[in-house]
Amino acid sequence: MPDLTGAYLLTEIDMNSTQLLKTALAGALSLGAASAALAAPMQMTPAQEKMQQERVMKMVKADHMQLCYGINAAYKNDCKAVGHSCAGQDSKARDPNSFVAVPAGLCGKIDGGIVKSM
């Protein structure tokens, strides 16, 4: 009777590597889908937008901050502006329509910083 131990071992290794490849591929696809979902801009309801804006304005008043327009980095604005409805969604850096809350008196010291009256 022939020895089939080597053939059985080879088949088991092939099955393990196939399973490993399938698992790696599934993980890569899941990671890609999750990244795409995170990159999509968050859409807020009007009630959520109002709550966000009220929260920012309350923080500005309580912490002696001011709204400094034109100094934001891309995706680092503090509240909604023309073209988007939420904080962190402005794709344009140094957008004159987007603001960042900074300590009072600092905005005038930043190149391009503009304080607009509320």
Side-chain angles (χ1 to χ4, degrees):
M1 182 164 211
D3 182 20
L4 299 177
T5 310
Y8 174 75
L9 187 59
L10 185 59
T11 304
E12 187 176 323
I13 290 172
D14 286 344
M15 289 174 58
N16 285 341
S17 62
T18 302
Q19 184 62 33
L20 180 63
L21 181 61
K22 286 179 183 178
T23 303
L25 183 58
L29 290 174
S30 297
L31 182 60
S35 297
L38 290 175
M42 184 175 93
Q43 296 299 319
M44 295 178 77
T45 66
Q48 289 173 324
E49 288 177 22
K50 185 177 179 184
M51 286 175 46
Q52 170 73 5
Q53 193 167 16
E54 288 172 353
R55 184 186 64 78
V56 169
M57 294 305 153
K58 184 177 178 182
M59 177 197 69
V60 166
K61 289 177 184 174
D63 296 339
H64 305 290
M65 308 283 274
Q66 64 186 169
L67 307 181
C68 190
Y69 291 81
I71 64 165
N72 67 297
Y75 301 103
K76 299 293 184 184
N77 58 301
D78 279 334
C79 205
K80 81 174 204 172
V82 179
H84 57 84
S85 63
C86 189
Q89 289 189 348
D90 195 351
S91 60
K92 179 181 174 190
R94 302 182 77 72
D95 185 350
N97 295 316
S98 290
F99 69 84
V100 176
V102 297
L106 182 63
C107 186
K109 298 175 183 178
I110 300 173
D111 185 36
I114 300 165
V115 178
K116 296 181 184 177
S117 60
M118 291 189 252

